[in-house]
Amino acid sequence: DIMIPRDYNAAHDLIERNLVAGRGGKIAYIDDRGSYTFDELSKRINRFANVLKGLQVRQEERILLCLLDTIDFPTAFLGAIKAGVIPVPTNTLLTAEDYRHMLRDSRATTLVVSHLLWPHFQEIVDDIPTLRHVILSDEKVPGRLELSSLLSQASDVFRAAETTSDDPCFWLYSSGSTGNPKGTVHIHSSLVNTAELYAIPTLAIRESDVVFSAAKLFFAYGLGNALTFPLAVGATTILMNERPTPEAVFKRLRQHQPSVFCGVPTLYASMLAHPDCPGAEELNLRCCPSAGEALPQEISRQWSARFGVDILDGIGSTEMLHIFLSNRVGDVRYGTTGKPVPGYKVRLVDEDGQPVAVGEIGALEVSGPSSAIQYWNNVAKSRSTFIGDWIHSGDKYSVTADGYYVYAGRSDDMLKVGGIYVSPTEVESVLMGHEAILEVAVVGRHDDEKLIKPAAYVVLKPGWSASQKLAGELKQFVKAHLAPYKYPRWFEFLDELPKTATGKIQRFKLRSGNQN
Ligand code: 3SK
């Protein structure tokens, strides 16, 4: 068991342990603008905590962060935690309507937003009754507070708020197949538990590592990779403000020579297929975790053959905060998600909650010390997900006789696309708003790399006919109304959708590509 004291502040711990270890002068972060030592990071965090205090933001109030990966993310996230204020990092790829929901649901009193993302917020901030302060990061906007000038005016000394290891610390929004995203409430002890249980034993992460996560800090996966884990051991982290295209990733790999690179299967596949993919001798990789979606065996094989390093596929969740089932160095079985991370318990159960036999598919439930405590403001979903010590993951798995877990899809209709959840129902309801569409069903389909992407099956209204042009228009229609990564990559036009006698769409028939 990991001993975390009762009086505990996660931000204080993650910084102080580095200063006590004499790492103050070591580089903690390198972003696209510069580098920052642990001492500088500590001061920035204290300054931000003082900014909040000066603005009279109180302990336990929520502060919404919509930030690209720069030094301002750890500054605001850990500065808020140090002040006992609850940061709520959000996906930077969403729409104004998504942010409106999160601001209202969290009753955030403060928003910190990257200048580039400000256009999404400009039209909604005046509609949020609880919002008292808007702080822009990166560039000034007339009439708005600006982060760097606030930091420069604030004191760099701050005594951590009196929090306990069980106190709410931060939230992450998690999406489901229906309804709005849910604020997942994490406590102070959770961050360091993920480092102690997963990163240190499974990745052997250490002070000498240089870590680069293509998965952004706003994802639970990226937050562990590029904040909790490196700070827990005093490693250096590379942050990239751009979209994680293969080109942008190659540039950082060549320039900064990370030893730990964290990706998702879609990215690993597109890196391998790219003509500019570096050779092993150009890089210094020792460890490459993957999560977010199931990793096809072929990608594992190609990566190991090219770099001499295995991809360590694992699965985590926003609710468990990080990976609880994983392959590990020296024990990798391609095509599986490995074994439970010691410190977590997993079980596979049937519809009656009874354990399934070896080789049979069951619903994956997990228990461990980094689990969230509830969904904010949503008793029904909290009760059906957090059952005593166990959490329903929503994933289906089987286990081999020698203990390796094999992914078997979702229990709900959710799709994991490039590591991010997409709700088919949400995409369908947008498409139903298009004048040509009578009925639609969205399901997952494998692309050429065996990775899941959304496909739409459409029945047109009388008077409309199927064409490539209409398919293109429908793609644009979805992109204009939802976060762009949610658009269906394929449109199939049918005379009718397969249905049961009671009129329920038989999605499984569409999934297998068989509409009869
Ligand atoms: O998608 C995953 O497997 C994952 C991994 C770590 C943390 C969070 C998530 C959702």
Side-chain angles (χ1 to χ4, degrees), residues 188-199:
H188 275 262
S189 55
S190 291
L191 288 167
V192 74
N193 273 326
T194 61
E196 297 287 343
L197 294 177
Y198 166 71

Side-chain angles (χ1 to χ4, degrees), residues 147-164:
L147 186 59
S148 63
S149 47
L150 291 175
L151 292 177
S152 65
Q153 291 155 29
S155 157
D156 62 13
V157 180
F158 188 88
R159 193 187 153 90
E162 290 182 6
T163 49
T164 74

